[in-house]
Amino acid sequence: MKSNGMFWAGIFIGIGIFLGSIMIKNGISSIQESQRVVTVKGLSEKEVPANKVIWPIVIKDANNDLKNLSASMNRSQMKVLELLQSSGIPENEISLSAPDILDYQTERYASQEARYRYNGTSTITVVSTDVEKVRTVVPQIISVLIQEGVAISANRQYENPVRYDFTGLNDVKPEMIEEATKNARVSAEKFATDSDSKLGKIKTASQGQMSISDRDENSPHIKTLRVVTTIIYYLKE
């Protein structure tokens, strides 16, 4: 009886070792399979027109008499406001900031050789969603103001530039992410084919930040939207 029991015990141990070796083999195979991955990036780009414009018109003046400076700046402000409204810019899209007056006699770091004691600056800002209208009137208004002797700083590349924005990112974001993901899969499938593999499931996926930039320096009113997705796929034999 004792030898019979040892016999069956040996059988069960053998079966256990056999099954264990199969499980270990499958486990190692599974680990190796999970380590075979490919990382790809998908890109989606789209050109859209800006839907918001911010136009700061900076009025500058100088005088040795503060009252005369104030009167001159008021006239310039009224002229700018009149031109804007006559050009069809609604009043609720125009804002006027308080003037900034610099006194060269009291300013510590100002040049003492300045011709005028007082230097004044005030800004009239146009914020509009009618981008094309503003783009049309900008050069016209600047030309008239210069002809009438109103010193302004407007529409320059670095100092007080006209700024164009696109605020509809959330409307196009899902579509662009979908396109970027599809492009990533195309790249992954090509890699899998070239390596005699099959494309498996997604291991991880991440969406890079969407970027908005001017199409070029001469067309700031046209924006380029860009989104990049990074996806890691499993590869199968």
Side-chain angles (χ1 to χ4, degrees):
M1 292 295 291
K2 185 176 180 180
S3 61
N4 190 37
M6 292 179 64
F7 170 78
W8 285 108
I11 293 294
F12 288 135
I13 292 172
I15 293 173
I17 293 173
F18 175 73
L19 293 176
S21 64
I22 292 176
M23 293 177 65
I24 292 173
K25 181 180 178 181
N26 289 340
I28 293 174
S29 177
S30 177
I31 292 172
Q32 292 175 341
E33 186 74 16
S34 68
Q35 291 176 345
R36 298 184 68 247
V37 297
V38 58
T39 302
V40 291
K41 293 183 181 294
L43 171 66
S44 176
E45 285 188 337
K46 186 181 186 69
E47 285 188 1
V48 295
N51 59 2
K52 181 180 180 181
V53 57
I54 302 173
W55 178 26
I57 308 170
V58 181
I59 301 169
K60 297 185 176 183
D61 207 341
N63 204 294
N64 284 320
D65 184 89
L66 189 56
K67 290 184 178 180
N68 289 340
L69 175 64
S70 178
S72 176
M73 293 187 68
N74 285 337
R75 287 193 296 271
S76 296
Q77 290 173 350
M78 294 303 297
K79 187 63 182 178
V80 172
L81 294 173
E82 178 186 332
L83 287 172
L84 288 173
Q85 293 177 3
S86 65
S87 298
I89 305 297
E91 187 176 350
N92 63 349
E93 295 182 352
I94 305 170
S95 62
L96 174 63
S97 66
D100 181 20
I101 306 297
L102 175 64
D103 185 347
Y104 282 103
Q105 288 188 7
T106 60
E107 183 66 26
R108 180 177 179 182
Y109 298 104
S111 172
Q112 298 302 313
E113 300 179 358
R115 180 178 177 183
Y116 297 103
R117 175 177 174 178
Y118 300 105
N119 187 289
T121 303
S122 66
T123 304
I124 296 175
T125 305
V126 175
V127 180
S128 176
T129 56
D130 194 342
V131 175
E132 288 306 309
K133 174 177 285 187
V134 174
R135 287 189 64 236
T136 300
V137 303
V138 164
Q140 298 173 356
I141 291 179
I142 291 176
S143 177
V144 172
L145 292 174
I146 292 174
Q147 290 175 11
E148 297 193 6
V150 178
I152 61 170
S153 171
N155 200 27
R156 296 185 179 180
Q157 185 175 3
Y158 301 108
E159 182 185 3
N160 308 311
V162 179
R163 195 179 89 198
Y164 298 94
D165 293 333
F166 177 72
T167 62
L169 192 58
N170 289 336
D171 296 331
V172 300
K173 189 175 181 178
E175 175 187 346
M176 294 187 67
I177 292 175
E178 180 182 355
E179 181 182 11
T181 302
K182 288 180 179 178
N183 291 338
R185 185 172 183 85
V186 170
S187 299
E189 288 175 340
K190 180 66 168 60
F191 181 89
T193 300
D194 293 344
S195 61
D196 294 326
S197 304
K198 293 182 180 180
L199 197 63
K201 295 181 178 181
I202 293 177
K203 180 181 179 182
T204 61
S206 63
Q207 173 209 328
Q209 288 187 346
M210 293 193 70
S211 63
I212 305 177
S213 59
D214 298 342
R215 185 183 66 180
D216 56 73
E217 62 180 10
N218 298 315
S219 306
H221 60 288
I222 300 177
K223 301 298 180 181
T224 298
L225 310 182
R226 192 171 188 267
V227 62
V228 177
T229 57
T230 302
I231 303 177
I232 301 177
Y233 287 94
Y234 287 111
L235 292 177
K236 302 184 296 184
E237 292 293 343

